[in-house]
Each structure stands twice: as structure tokens, then as C-alpha cells.
Amino acid sequence: MSETLYYLLIIVGVLVVMLSIAALLIWYERRMLALWQDRYGPNRVGPFGLMQVMADMVKIFFKEDWIAPFADKWVFIFAPTIIVVAVLLGFAVVPFAPGIVVADMNIGLLFFLAMSSLGAYSILLGGISSNNKYSLLGSLRGAAQVISYEVFMGISLMGVVILSDSFSLVKIVEAQKNMWFVIPQFIGFVIFFMAGVAETHRAPFDLPEAESELVAGFHSEYSGMKFGMFFVGEYLGITLISAMIATFFFGGWLGPSFLPPIVWFFIKTFAFITLFILLRASLPRPRYDQLMSLGWKILLPLSLLNLLATAAIKLAIGG
Amino acid sequence: MVKITIDGNVYEVDPKDNLLQTILSLGLDLPYFCWHPALGSVGSCRQCAVKKYSGEDDQKGRIVMACMEPVVDGMRISVNAPEVKDFRANIIELLMTNHPHDCPVCDEGGECHLQDVTLMSGHNYRRFDFNKRTHNNQYLGPFINHEMNRCIQCYRCVRFYREYAGGRDFNVFASRNRVFFGRYEDGVLESEFSGNLAEVCPTGVFTDKTYKQHFTRKWDLTTAPSICHNCSLGCNIIAGERYGTIRRIASRYNGKVNGYFICDRGRFGYEYVNSDQRIREPLRRGQASGRLEPVDRETVFNYFKKIFDKKPRLLGIGSPKASLESNHALQMLVGKENFFAGVSAVEHQLTLKAIQILKEGPAKVPSLRETEKADTVLILGEDVTNTAPMLTLSLRQASRQKPMELPIKMNVPTWHEMAVLELMQDERSPFFVLTPTETKLDDIATAVYRNAPDNIARLAHAVAHYIDSAAPEVKNLTEEETELVKQIAENLLSAKQPLIVSGTSCLNESLLEAAANITRALKKRQKSPWIFLTVPEANSVGLALLDEKNLNQAIEKALSDTYETLIILENDLYRRIEEDKANKLFDAFKHVIVLHYLHNSTTDKANLVVPVGPFTESDGTLVNNEGRAQRFYQVFYPGDSVKESWRWLGQIMTEHGSNAGRALSKLDDFIEALVQDFPELKAVKELAPDADFRIAGQKIPRQSHRYSGRTSMNANVNVSEPKPPEDEDSPMSFTMEGYQGVPPSPFISRFWYPGWNSVQAVNKFQIEVGGALRGGDPGLRVFEPQADSDAPYYTRIPEPFKPQKDQWFAIPVFHIFGSDELSIYTPGVAELAPKPYLLLNQKDAESFKGEKVNVLLDGKQIELPVKTSSSFPSGMVGIPIGLPEMKIFKFPNWVKISG
Amino acid sequence: MFSILRSLWLTFLHTFHKRFTIQYPEEKAKLPARWRGRIVLTRDPDGAERCVACYLCAAACPVDCISLQAAEDETGRRYPEFFRINFSRCIFCGFCEDACPTYAIQLTPDFELVEYDRQNLVYEKENLLISGPGKYHDYNFYRVAGYAVGGKGKGEAQHEDPPIDIHDLKP
């Protein structure tokens, strides 16, 4: 009984914490961007402008819930929910601290990959159902981008799996007690990070949205809370990828014991979230063909080489 | 047709015009100042320089003035060669050395030919460091403002004023860069066409003074094509509005009617539209107060409903100043048998006679502009300067036709103005002025004959008899008269294109008959004469075509029959018939309903006054003196109360179901109804495309594309802009949105073309410069003379006029400023209008001692100062007609004088 | 690759830069004299109205928010009978100032034009006219123009000869 309650508590806790973080990220990103652009950002509502989140939420909830008359109504409504649900499901396997994990599956890593690729449907359906040229272009870009980068996202993680001998995230974290995997798997880390940026279609790989050419791309026609779902989905995605980087390459909750493990986990995660924002603040968007050739011509061979090398070394040492 | 090469392109052109005119007709741009299509070439401004090559091998060429160059076959010229462009830029720079830094306060700015040409020639920076010459200005009367500093010495003004319009009190003085254009001393310009100086002057030396009182730039005016309502000629005008008031009238080129010019009454006599006497809301006579009190629209309809509920008999009185549509709408409302033209019996009778003569033929009826081509002119009784002013201008051109034969014989091109003038010297076409009073055309007349209208008619009949002995004979002419008859007849017979001008102003039917007889006699002698008759008002002919019954008959009918309600359309009956008769008419009715735009003696009698729009606030059709139907369009939307007469009447008919199943809401409905009821007026429907017409799906805008202040002009009332009014009656919009190119000719509301902001842009609207507008000049004849008719001679010869001992024969004397009912509301017109007087022969006047005499008119005694004339026929008195201070009397009439 | 890292690093260094934001309204911005804010009508050095009601500002205005009516006083001097700017439409483009041939209409460094009622943003001449010459201290249109007004007859403007006596017979 108490165990069920405990899990329920963890589930609810994870949901609440993750959604709050996603909401706070709106404020956090604006403040950080402003900082790097020598501005202040939102600083008027509440202390440090923190209540800006509330204001934005109130605004977005009260916006007119408008559906374009030419849109495919039900798909249009359904599409933004997919990304939120898929990403939230991805959090199910994240080990926040010892014992604090919703489901420590033995195939946790595969589950994460599966969930992150489900997000592509959201973009695809959202763009197609909008019945708008720009949205369609955006969703096609999104689909192609997610599918392409997913390939070596998985492959880049295989080095981690080889080193830890497990698909379970808890095991992977525990396997890093002596050395974070970022050292042996540096190439894997770089590739995973880049793929992560592409998966969440964040700047500089935000080609599905690309305001300057596609007028917000797949979500051009969205407004109100439906747009808000895409928005939240995106921040949840950032958090998930950051959490995964911390888990796979930076030892998850591991850290000196003067801080509790869960704090270490969040510090690491936030560091990567900040890195995401720094990327957006500094890098320009590549052309679409550049994005594709980077993926297929450089990152894919590199990840395969990395896997090959890791496997060979593992065989040579551990064999 | 000959071939010429301009900058390497070969064009096929007609060699009749000079090179400048040809280049402009081809649609090319070439700057010019002194040349004007109506004034010819003098080559004084040196601005239209082009390069002319002597042959195929000539690479160098030489600079010539295009306006002085005839077009010859195989000619090779360049408009854009660098040397000529340079030359033109230098010339404009020199012309501009003395031009002041005035544009912001100059009324010409924005529609200035000098600005256009300066820009076109590429002069944009003043290098001349020395002082500018200045001039003192003159007072030139209430119409024209003088700002001599701005002059660039093109000589157009003096050529127009003296040579074209025959003015004598305006000239050029001093020499070199000191030349001065003006009068020898301050004073009112005498010419009735002085307003055209504002359009002829390429810069702002002469500008419209009435426009200055409420000045607005050309681009800010809401303009619509309109027709002048101030006389029967139907000159085409453009009326411009801003902030709800009419700001100015400009001439609208029509190659068949007025050409480039209009008279001062037409140009300046518009201010009644802005008058504080305007009726802007419905008024009902209060039962308690007995005064007219403002009411709302519903009250008007309720008033009519109450009347209609009693199944009443309505009596309607139309107006010769109102449109065909309005008159016909009233006719539909009251029924044809109860509709009467609002014109006195004698006037209506004369108009009907004029129409009959024009219809019967066989003389052709020239258009106003065509009369310029006549080479012998006989004027019978009509003082055209005062009754149909623009005809004077045309007849002055006709007086050059005969002497023009000399330059043609000597191979001098007719456009070569200086050479032509040198050859002509003082030669004039045979020109006979037979009128009771002095006229402004006497100076060009071969012979002048001053006598009573009956005697003029007798002389004219004698001319007819001289030409064809089958025409009735006139006995007892004096020797001098017989000699004059012979001279006139011989000249008419030897003329290529004789023109007989007469009209209704003498109120003498015999004159019209005599004019007809002369044309018929000439026709018998294988000549093809022209006849041109003037009528009293802008739509006199149209009204006469709608109904033959007159106002005097209406009074008889009203007194003998049982009517309760009288409806009067845009008419002041106290200006049509004598006061006591009008009073009798009003007394016979229980309800008097007046549709009018101004308070006057008739609205004083009304129980209900319905506010209707004058010509600037209505659409409609007028028929001018030659039977030409012309459409005028509403300029601006005056608000919800003021409506066109036909719209009020149509709505009333629709509400009470007396519209006989016809839709009566838009202009097109009324035109359709009119043409159904009067099939002979079918041309009215073809005057202009109907309200559904669009160019590329767009309406034609009344405002220019630069129209300013749209989000501010009403902001003091309400900061939210009102919805712009829509026009369901015409394909024109009240806004600046729509097709901004050259519209079909009936819808030309401004002359503007890229690079041509001044009125000279008219060149771009014509098929060829000086010719018809693109798509043909607007306006269609509703009747044409029967060319092969064999109408018999009129045989009634009046008795010779005999002076009587104690009675004087009174005739009306017309004044261009003063005789018209509406133009007098313009302060300048009122200023130039004469004070009441009595015109007497000098000898006759000697029998009276004082300077004032008492006249017994229609049983009323009035005191009038005496004005004498040595040529005015003895035994008669002339009384100015229509002056605001004077009542309407019965003319012609015998009166008693004591003094 | 290196350039990307360099970009990231340089952007990151901005963490320690001073911020440009001015904390309006606690802190006021220092506006240059040619700032395009609230429009005024100025007077010439003699204290008379500069505007000659030439309508060029109204014509230049892209949102058509200026309307006026020309009038003339007894000495011939032109002035606007009314002059109205609808600031709720104005986009402060400064075209009116550019178009003005007399330096009458000028934009000033005042942008605080907030009203609760839009109707209050309609400014009439009495709201627009200031008592000084604004940015241009010396210019007086009527001293340059050949137009005679009160206090200045023909030939008395700059670069003008005295009026010609046409009765003079000298060549």
C-alpha cells in the first residue's frame, strides 16, 4: 500500500516539478537571453520578474481559442498534446536520485529514444492539419530532421550502453561512479548533444519554426493554449535532453556528498539547459541542406566510428 | 500623313500642326510655356527647343524651337539630345532668375506649369546670386489676384486677353526684364473671361481670388465632372470641394462645347452653394409660430403620407434650372396633366419656338466650339456677352476666319500666330450685330444696327427676302436699312460658312422666325448655313421637351380647378412671374411644398421645405441650347438630410406606391424611367456608363491619390473616422481609392498626369492636342435638325416699332453679373452687378429733368436713376432684369415714366 | 567548429557586460534634440506664426493625420485658420518636418503622449503652437519670399531690387 502511495507521490512529484520547471524556463530563458544581449529581460512582475510566468500563463489561458476555418479541426487540436505527453512519458525513466525514479526499466534508454521520436508526430500532424504552406514546409522539415538525427542519437548512446553493460538508466548512472562517461565517450557526448538540440528543434537547429522564413513554421496557425502546449512541450524537451545528458555522460545524481544527490542532478541538468540557451543566444541558423549534410555526412559516420572504437576497446580490455 | 523620325523612332503624323503640338500629341513630353493650343505659337519663351537634322548624313543638327517648326515629310529631330536638354535647362534657369521664393504661399503651387517644366527640364538649384527684380501688384477686381513678381514673361496672358478674348484694358508695359503685365492703372478687369488668366498663366501671376478666400491645394479637392448651371450653353466644369464647401470651379475641356475656357460667371458664380441661405434640413411651418422650423426626415414623409391619404390632386411646377431627372420625377409624382414648367408663358413659348426651329432645320446647328469656324456672323437681337457669355469668345474667333484665308493662300501655317496677325492686320470676317443695346462685340462688327426688336426682325426678314425672293417681303424700310440688308445678304451669300445667332432674350418671337427664314433662304441658294439660338436657362430646352405647359397656365388651372397641394421644384416663382400673380397662385393652395436649396420668396410661402442639393450635391442631366444632353455629377456627400430632388420624390413615390411598379432609388432608375416615358430622350441613357461600370474592377475616384487629412479632418468631432459615403448613382467613389489613370471622358474629374500637375495635363487626355477627349467628348444631342427638310417660311412680319407719346416700350437688359438668380450670391459678382437703372436714348432723356425718374410698372411706381445711350432706340426703355433689388415685371410691355 | 565555440564564449562573456537598458520611468532617457516626438508649430524670430498653411505637411503625411485650412490676414500674411494633428494616427516619421518650407512644423524630444481617451490625442493649433523658434533660430520665410506682408513691402526681402516703376521710360 505504502509502496503504491510512494510511487504515486513520485509520479505526481515528477509531473509537478517538471511542468513547473518548463514554465519557469520561459522566464529563465528570457532573462538569460537578455543577460547575454546586455538587457534586463522581464523584471517588472514580482521579484526579479518571476511572476512574469504567471502573467504569461494567465494571458495564454485567456487568449481566444481560435481554429483556422481551413484547418483539419480534430488533428489540429490533437497534435500539440502528443509532444507534451511523449516528453512527459520520457521523464518516467529518468533517475533523479537513488530511489527517485518512476520506472527503472531495463530498457529505459530505448524507451527514452522511443518517446523522443514520438514528438515528431506532433510536428508532422500540427503542420499538415494547419493546411497552410508554411506550416507544411515546417512540419516536413521537422519530420526529416527528427528522423535523421534520431539515427545517430541512438548510435551515439550505444557507447554508453557498451561501457555500462545495461539499458537501464539507474545502472548507467551507477556505472559512472569512478569516471563520468563524458571522458571515454566524449565524441558520443558531442554527437548526442547536437542530436538533442536537433530533436528539440532548438536554435540553431530550429528550422521547422524558422520565423524569418516560415513565419513560425508548423505552428503558424496555432494560438492560445494550443500554441502554449507546443511551447511547454519544447521546454519539457530541453529539460529532458539536459537530464539525459547529465544521466548518460555526467554521472546523473553522483557528486560529492556535501549536497544531496537530487541537487547534483538538478545542478547538472540546469547547466545544460543554460547551455541550450547560450546556443540560442549566439549561433545563427544553418541552411537546411547544411543541417542535413552535417547529420548524414559527418555525425552519422562519426557516431558509427565511435561505436566501433568503443566496442573494439571494450573487447580488447574486457574480453 | 507624313513620316517623321524622333530620336530614332519613326512616327506617322498629320502635318497640320506645329512640331511641338505633334510631339505632345504623340504622348512625348516636351516643356513649353508660351505656346497654347488655343493661342498658337509665337516662339517667345525658347523652352521647347529640339534638335533638327538636315538630312540622313547630318550628325550635328541645329537647335530649333519646336513650336515654330512646321512638320514636313522625312523630318529627323531629337528631343533628348544632350545639347537640347542642356539648352532647355539653361533657359529655365534664366527664366527662374527672378522668380520669387514664394511657392508655399502661392495658390498655383502644386498645379503650376512652371514647377512642372522646371522639374522636367532638370533645373533644381539656383546659381544666380544677384538681386531679383520686383514689381508692385495691381488690384484687378474681385476675381483675379495679381502677383507680378512671379512672372516669367511668356506673354500668354496678354495674348489671351487682347487677341483671343478681345479685352482692351490689359497690356504689357516696359521692356527687357522689367516687362509688366497688367492694366495701365488699378481697376477691375473689364473682360468677362478674365478668370481664364488663372488657367492660361503658367505660374502664379494671375490666380483665382475667390479660391484664395478658402484656399485648398489641387490635390486636396474632391472633384467631380459638372456642367455650368449659369446659362444655357452648358459649359463643362470641374467643381472642387473640401471640408464640405465648394472651393472653386475650373473649366473642364470639352472639344465640342467650351474648349479650354469658361466665362467669369461660370467660374466664380458658384458661391450660392456655400451660402448661409442654404437649406440644409427639412423645414415645416409651425402651426403656432407660423415660422419654418427644422424637422427630421420622417416628418417629411409623414407630411406626404397625410396628403396622400386624402387621395389629393397635386399640382407640380418644374424648373429650368433643375435636371431632367428631377423635373421628370415631379412629373411622375403629380401626373403629366398636373405638371407645369416653371417658366413664364412668353419665355416658354420662345424656348419651344427655338426648339421647333432647331429641329425643323434645314440649317445645321453647330456646337459652341464649332461656331468658331463660321466666317460670316449675323447676330439678331441677342447681347451674347450677357446672355450666353462663352459664345462671345467663340464668335471672336469666328471673326478671324475670313482674314485667315490670306495666310493660307500665302502658305503661312495658321498656328503661326505672329505671322498670321501681321498678315491680318485689322481685317475681320463679315460680322453684323443687330441688337437694341450696345454689345461688347460692336468693336469687331462690320456693321451695327441698333433698333427695337421688331425692327430688327423686319430687317432680318428683309435679308431673307433679299436672298430668296420667295421669302416674305418687308415693306417701308429706310434707304439705309435697305443698304444694310443688301450688305448682309451679299456677305452671307459669299460666305463659306454663314452663321445666324439669335436667342430669346429680346422676348421677340419674330426675331427667331426671321433667323429661321434667313437660314431657309440660304439653303434655297445652295448654302449650308448654321443657326445658333440661345435660351434663358441651363435646362430650358430639357424642361420644354418634358412639358409644353407654362407657369401662367398653371395659375389659371389652379384657380379654375380644385387642387389642395402645390409642389414646387427648385424654383423661385417670384423671379418667373409678377408678384401679384405668384401670390394668387399660393393663395389657391392649402399645402405648399417647396424643394429647394436656398431660402427665397417662394420658400417663405411654403408649408414644407424639402432640402435638396444644388448641382454640386446632385447628379442629373441638362439639355443645353443646342439640344446637347450633358450629365453632371455630385461632388461630395452633404450629409443625410440634403438629397437630390429626384431621390426625395422617388422615395415619396415608393413609400406611397405611386411609382407604378418602377424601382426609383438610384440615378439609373430615374434615367430608365425618363427614357421609357420620353423615348426621344434615349440619348440621355447613353451619355455615360451606368453606376455598375468599373475599370479593372475599380471605381473612379473623386479624390486624387495625394488627398490629405483623411484621418484628421473629422477628428475634432470624433477621433474614429466615419465610414466613407458610397455612391450608388455613378461609377465614381467619394474617396481616393480606385482607378487613378485616365478615365472615360464623362468621368474626368481632374486633369492630372504623372509629371503634369497643372491643367496643361489636359494634353494627355486628348486624342490629339486641341482635339477631342479620349473616347470622344462627352454629351450627346437629343435632337438633330432635319437636313433635307422643306420647312416653309414664317410669314408673319411684325409692324415697324413706333415710339408713342406718353408710353415707353420696356425691354429687359441682361447683365452677365446680376441678371442670373444664383451667381449673384458670390460677393464679387454682386460687386460687379449694376445698380438698378433705366436705360434711355440720350435725346429721350433730355425730356426729363432729374437724374431719377419714376416708372410705373405693372401698376407699381418705382424710382430709377437714368442711364443714357446715344444708340439705344428712341421710344424705348431698357430695364435691367433679375437684379436682386428689383422685382420681376412683365416684359415686353408699355410703361409710363414721369420725372 | 572553433568559430562556433568562440561565438559561444564571446556571448557568454556578455554576462559580465554593463546593460544598456534604461529603467524607464525611474530613469529618464536622454533624448537628442532631433528626436522625433510630439509635433509643435513654431514661431519665427519676430514672434509671428511661422506656418504659412501651404499644405505640404498634410500632403507628405503617410497616415493623413494632418489637416488645416489656409487663411490670410489683412496684411496678406498667410496662416492656418485651424491646424489639427491626430496623434492617435501619427507615426512620428518626420516627413512633415522634412516637407515644411518654413521650418514651422517641428518634431520635439517628447514621446510621453499617453491618454486614457483617444479623443484627447487630437491636437488643435492652440495645443501645437509654441512661443519660440524651435530648432531653427534665425529663419524667417517672409524675409526670403517675394510676397508682401505687413511690415515688408515689395522689394524689401533678401536679394531683391526695389520694385520697378513701369512709368519710367529708361530702357
Short mmCIF file of all heavy atoms in Angstrom, two decimals, chain A residues 140-163:
data_model
loop_
_atom_site.label_atom_id
_atom_site.label_comp_id
_atom_site.label_asym_id
_atom_site.label_seq_id
_atom_site.Cartn_x
_atom_site.Cartn_y
_atom_site.Cartn_z
N LEU A 140 7.40 19.27 -42.61
CA LEU A 140 8.23 18.36 -43.40
C LEU A 140 9.68 18.45 -42.94
O LEU A 140 10.37 17.44 -42.77
CB LEU A 140 8.14 18.70 -44.89
CG LEU A 140 6.80 18.34 -45.54
CD1 LEU A 140 6.78 18.76 -46.98
CD2 LEU A 140 6.54 16.85 -45.41
N ARG A 141 10.13 19.69 -42.75
CA ARG A 141 11.49 19.87 -42.24
C ARG A 141 11.65 19.17 -40.90
O ARG A 141 12.63 18.48 -40.65
CB ARG A 141 11.77 21.35 -42.04
CG ARG A 141 12.08 22.10 -43.29
CD ARG A 141 12.39 23.52 -42.88
NE ARG A 141 12.68 24.35 -44.03
CZ ARG A 141 13.19 25.57 -43.91
NH1 ARG A 141 13.41 26.08 -42.72
NH2 ARG A 141 13.45 26.29 -44.99
N GLY A 142 10.66 19.39 -40.03
CA GLY A 142 10.72 18.82 -38.69
C GLY A 142 10.83 17.31 -38.74
O GLY A 142 11.70 16.71 -38.08
N ALA A 143 9.96 16.69 -39.53
CA ALA A 143 9.94 15.24 -39.62
C ALA A 143 11.29 14.73 -40.11
O ALA A 143 11.90 13.84 -39.50
CB ALA A 143 8.82 14.79 -40.54
N ALA A 144 11.77 15.30 -41.20
CA ALA A 144 13.03 14.84 -41.77
C ALA A 144 14.16 15.04 -40.78
O ALA A 144 15.02 14.16 -40.59
CB ALA A 144 13.32 15.61 -43.05
N GLN A 145 14.16 16.16 -40.10
CA GLN A 145 15.23 16.49 -39.17
C GLN A 145 15.24 15.51 -37.98
O GLN A 145 16.26 14.95 -37.63
CB GLN A 145 15.01 17.91 -38.68
CG GLN A 145 16.00 18.39 -37.65
CD GLN A 145 15.73 19.85 -37.30
OE1 GLN A 145 15.35 20.64 -38.15
NE2 GLN A 145 15.91 20.21 -36.05
N VAL A 146 14.05 15.27 -37.43
CA VAL A 146 13.97 14.40 -36.25
C VAL A 146 14.37 12.99 -36.62
O VAL A 146 15.16 12.34 -35.93
CB VAL A 146 12.54 14.44 -35.66
CG1 VAL A 146 12.36 13.37 -34.60
CG2 VAL A 146 12.27 15.81 -35.07
N ILE A 147 13.86 12.51 -37.79
CA ILE A 147 14.18 11.14 -38.20
C ILE A 147 15.68 10.99 -38.45
O ILE A 147 16.33 10.04 -38.01
CB ILE A 147 13.37 10.75 -39.45
CG1 ILE A 147 11.91 10.55 -39.02
CG2 ILE A 147 13.91 9.49 -40.09
CD1 ILE A 147 10.96 10.48 -40.19
N SER A 148 16.28 12.00 -39.12
CA SER A 148 17.69 11.91 -39.45
C SER A 148 18.55 11.87 -38.19
O SER A 148 19.45 11.04 -38.06
CB SER A 148 18.13 13.11 -40.29
OG SER A 148 17.27 13.28 -41.35
N TYR A 149 18.25 12.80 -37.29
CA TYR A 149 19.13 12.92 -36.14
C TYR A 149 18.90 11.82 -35.10
O TYR A 149 19.76 11.56 -34.26
CB TYR A 149 19.01 14.32 -35.52
CG TYR A 149 19.88 15.32 -36.24
CD1 TYR A 149 19.59 15.69 -37.54
CD2 TYR A 149 21.03 15.84 -35.64
CE1 TYR A 149 20.40 16.57 -38.22
CE2 TYR A 149 21.84 16.73 -36.31
CZ TYR A 149 21.53 17.10 -37.61
OH TYR A 149 22.33 17.97 -38.28
N GLU A 150 17.71 11.22 -35.17
CA GLU A 150 17.41 10.14 -34.25
C GLU A 150 18.37 8.96 -34.45
O GLU A 150 18.77 8.29 -33.50
CB GLU A 150 16.00 9.65 -34.55
CG GLU A 150 15.30 9.13 -33.35
CD GLU A 150 13.82 9.36 -33.56
OE1 GLU A 150 13.28 8.71 -34.46
OE2 GLU A 150 13.26 10.22 -32.86
N VAL A 151 18.74 8.73 -35.71
CA VAL A 151 19.57 7.57 -36.05
C VAL A 151 20.83 7.57 -35.21
O VAL A 151 21.10 6.62 -34.47
CB VAL A 151 19.91 7.60 -37.55
CG1 VAL A 151 20.86 6.46 -37.89
CG2 VAL A 151 18.64 7.52 -38.37
N PHE A 152 21.59 8.68 -35.32
CA PHE A 152 22.87 8.62 -34.59
C PHE A 152 22.73 9.08 -33.14
O PHE A 152 23.64 8.94 -32.36
CB PHE A 152 23.97 9.41 -35.31
CG PHE A 152 23.52 10.73 -35.84
CD1 PHE A 152 23.47 11.84 -35.02
CD2 PHE A 152 23.14 10.85 -37.17
CE1 PHE A 152 23.06 13.02 -35.53
CE2 PHE A 152 22.73 12.04 -37.66
CZ PHE A 152 22.68 13.15 -36.84
N MET A 153 21.54 9.61 -32.81
CA MET A 153 21.29 9.85 -31.40
C MET A 153 21.36 8.51 -30.67
O MET A 153 22.03 8.37 -29.64
CB MET A 153 19.91 10.47 -31.20
CG MET A 153 19.67 10.98 -29.80
SD MET A 153 17.98 11.52 -29.65
CE MET A 153 18.14 12.69 -28.35
N GLY A 154 20.66 7.53 -31.26
CA GLY A 154 20.69 6.18 -30.67
C GLY A 154 22.08 5.61 -30.73
O GLY A 154 22.61 5.10 -29.73
N ILE A 155 22.72 5.72 -31.90
CA ILE A 155 24.03 5.10 -32.06
C ILE A 155 25.04 5.71 -31.09
O ILE A 155 25.86 5.01 -30.48
CB ILE A 155 24.50 5.24 -33.53
CG1 ILE A 155 23.58 4.42 -34.44
CG2 ILE A 155 25.94 4.76 -33.68
CD1 ILE A 155 23.77 4.68 -35.89
N SER A 156 24.94 7.03 -30.90
CA SER A 156 25.91 7.69 -30.02
C SER A 156 25.78 7.20 -28.59
O SER A 156 26.74 7.24 -27.83
CB SER A 156 25.73 9.20 -30.08
OG SER A 156 24.52 9.56 -29.44
N LEU A 157 24.56 6.73 -28.23
CA LEU A 157 24.36 6.25 -26.86
C LEU A 157 24.86 4.80 -26.69
O LEU A 157 25.01 4.34 -25.57
CB LEU A 157 22.89 6.33 -26.48
CG LEU A 157 22.36 7.76 -26.24
CD1 LEU A 157 20.90 7.69 -25.85
CD2 LEU A 157 23.16 8.45 -25.15
N MET A 158 25.07 4.13 -27.82
CA MET A 158 25.46 2.73 -27.71
C MET A 158 26.80 2.56 -27.01
O MET A 158 27.08 1.58 -26.35
CB MET A 158 25.49 2.08 -29.11
CG MET A 158 24.08 1.85 -29.68
SD MET A 158 22.99 1.01 -28.52
CE MET A 158 21.70 2.19 -28.34
N GLY A 159 27.67 3.59 -27.19
CA GLY A 159 28.94 3.55 -26.48
C GLY A 159 28.73 3.51 -24.97
O GLY A 159 29.36 2.71 -24.25
N VAL A 160 27.78 4.30 -24.50
CA VAL A 160 27.45 4.32 -23.08
C VAL A 160 26.93 2.95 -22.65
O VAL A 160 27.32 2.41 -21.60
CB VAL A 160 26.39 5.41 -22.80
CG1 VAL A 160 25.93 5.36 -21.36
CG2 VAL A 160 26.94 6.78 -23.15
N VAL A 161 26.06 2.39 -23.49
CA VAL A 161 25.48 1.08 -23.16
C VAL A 161 26.60 0.03 -23.07
O VAL A 161 26.63 -0.79 -22.15
CB VAL A 161 24.45 0.67 -24.24
CG1 VAL A 161 23.96 -0.74 -23.99
CG2 VAL A 161 23.28 1.66 -24.21
N ILE A 162 27.55 0.10 -24.03
CA ILE A 162 28.65 -0.88 -24.02
C ILE A 162 29.44 -0.74 -22.74
O ILE A 162 29.76 -1.72 -22.06
CB ILE A 162 29.55 -0.65 -25.24
CG1 ILE A 162 28.80 -1.11 -26.50
CG2 ILE A 162 30.86 -1.41 -25.10
CD1 ILE A 162 29.46 -0.70 -27.79
N LEU A 163 29.71 0.52 -22.35
CA LEU A 163 30.53 0.73 -21.16
C LEU A 163 29.81 0.29 -19.90
O LEU A 163 30.40 -0.23 -18.98
CB LEU A 163 30.91 2.20 -21.03
CG LEU A 163 31.91 2.72 -22.08
CD1 LEU A 163 32.23 4.18 -21.83
CD2 LEU A 163 33.19 1.91 -22.05
#
